[in-house]
Amino acid sequence: MRNLSKSGFLLTVVAVLSLTSLKAEAALLVAGRGNKSVLRYDEQTGAFIDTFIPAGSGGLKGPSSLAFGQDNNLYVSDYFNSSVLRYNGETGAFIDVFVPSSSGGIASPESIVFGPDNNLYVSGLEGSGVRRYDGKTGAFIDAVVAEVPSTGNKLSSPNFTFAQDNDIYISGVLPSSGVLGYDNQTDTTDVFIPPNNAPEIPGGLTFGPDNNLYVNDFIPNASIRRYDGETGAFIDTFVSAGSGGLSQASRLTFRPDNNLYVTSFGSNSVLRYNAQTGAFIDAFVPSGSGGLRDPIGLVFTPTSVPEPSSWLGIMGFAASVGVSLVLKSKQKKQQSANF
């Protein structure tokens, strides 16, 4: 019994040590259009680590948005090449051009998101709207939202986000600003936040932990507004204009640490705010750190966890150790008995 207990203990130790070795450190990646590269920062301190993807890698000229795919690789929209490039998610090495230049009519792509259907959604300017591409091959599928329903104008969109019900909320600019809502079930688009109640030039938008919609005011006020997630009614200015040096608020993301991270395009920094109150905390990535210029997209790298095959390997190895110890124990008992 004592030997079996010892085997179980060792099995646990082996599993824990294996899991520890498989776990990867997370980091903050920031796309800098001005420095034409993707920079990496410590996720805890904001300290510059390195240039994760250098300028020109794979033809990169103007990174805008970043997204990790199911393959754990990093996808980068290139504003100037009108394409989406794919890089190794661990090393930053160029893999391929995932969405070729102007494929499906995309122009000046601003934001990319892998949707609940595992396909890649891309928004862009110059009337590109929001377009969908095969999540495995990059092949063009369709234009999900191409026009502003109230005007019939072609939609130019800097950003969009998925809601919990898989509907899409899209910020539009020039000539029609405001936020549109796309109903995934009915395949219809309506005005969610009318232009007269939205920022003049809206930037990034996302749903917060309170299920309300947060919209960046890129210009002229550089603030973050909060709207009712169900009705689109204005609630308040969550982050006041210029708070902490905020200038041309570009993209934003909430983190489980109860903080809100915002790329400040005009001040070449990433600012951090309290996710509950909107109070400024600090310049998480100080102005120009690592050569950062004109930051837009940001993403925290996922912390790696063992795949099912890794779990099986761990448990299989640990089990073999346990079985070996049990057999040795039995052999010793038999030897003692014979003696």
Side-chain angles (χ1 to χ4, degrees), residues 9 12 19-20 25-26 47 52 64 70 80 140 153 161 164 182 191 193 210 234 267 283 285 296 304 307 312 320:
F9 173 75
T12 302
L19 285 173
T20 302
E25 293 298 324
F52 189 66
S64 292
Q70 283 197 316
F80 294 117
F140 174 68
N153 293 324
T161 187
Q164 290 184 345
Y182 169 78
V191 175
I193 302 174
D210 57 1
F234 176 75
S267 65
V285 175
I296 301 180
S304 297
E307 296 293 331
L312 291 174
S320 67

Side-chain angles (χ1 to χ4, degrees), residues 77 106-113 121-125 128-131 156-160 170-171 251:
S77 59
I106 194 68
S108 304
E110 282 279 350
S111 294
I112 54 175
V113 176
Y121 291 71
V122 184
S123 71
L125 303 181
S128 293
V130 177
R131 297 171 186 268
S156 290
S157 172
N159 200 225
F160 64 99
I170 310 156
S171 60
R251 301 292 182 267

Side-chain angles (χ1 to χ4, degrees), residues 124 126-131 145-157 170 172-177 180 189 191 195:
E126 301 179 37
S128 293
V130 177
R131 297 171 186 268
V145 180
E147 296 182 347
V148 179
S150 59
T151 64
N153 293 324
K154 288 187 176 181
L155 174 65
S156 290
S157 172
I170 310 156
V173 296
L174 303 176
S176 300
S177 62
L180 303 179
T189 306
V191 175

Side-chain angles (χ1 to χ4, degrees), residues 17-209:
L17 290 176
S18 300
L19 285 173
T20 302
S21 65
L22 285 171
K23 187 177 180 180
E25 293 298 324
L28 172 65
L29 301 180
V30 183
R33 185 175 293 173
N35 49 278
K36 303 178 181 179
S37 56
V38 177
L39 306 182
R40 180 163 53 174
Y41 300 89
D42 187 283
E43 71 153 354
Q44 298 295 331
T45 66
F48 175 68
I49 298 176
D50 58 15
T51 298
F52 189 66
I53 301 175
S57 175
L60 185 65
K61 291 183 178 180
S64 292
S65 184
L66 310 171
F68 279 92
Q70 283 197 316
D71 56 4
N72 293 323
N73 289 316
L74 181 66
Y75 294 73
V76 182
S77 59
D78 192 328
Y79 181 86
F80 294 117
N81 282 329
S82 293
S83 60
V84 178
L85 310 179
R86 177 163 53 177
Y87 299 85
N88 184 290
E90 293 185 357
T91 67
F94 175 69
I95 297 176
D96 58 14
V97 178
F98 187 70
V99 176
S101 181
S102 304
S103 172
I106 194 68
S108 304
E110 282 279 350
S111 294
I112 54 175
V113 176
F114 280 92
D117 58 1
N118 296 323
N119 289 315
L120 182 66
Y121 291 71
V122 184
S123 71
L125 303 181
E126 301 179 37
S128 293
V130 177
R131 297 171 186 268
R132 176 165 45 188
Y133 298 82
D134 188 284
K136 292 184 177 180
T137 68
F140 174 68
I141 297 176
D142 59 6
V144 180
V145 180
E147 296 182 347
V148 179
S150 59
T151 64
N153 293 324
K154 288 187 176 181
L155 174 65
S156 290
S157 172
N159 200 225
F160 64 99
T161 187
F162 280 89
Q164 290 184 345
D165 59 4
N166 298 337
D167 290 346
I168 307 174
Y169 293 82
I170 310 156
S171 60
V173 296
L174 303 176
S176 300
S177 62
V179 175
L180 303 179
Y182 169 78
D183 190 305
N184 183 60
Q185 297 296 322
T186 62
D187 191 27
T188 57
T189 306
D190 293 307
V191 175
F192 186 65
I193 302 174
N196 60 3
N197 200 32
E200 183 177 333
I201 302 293
L205 72 170
T206 190
F207 282 91

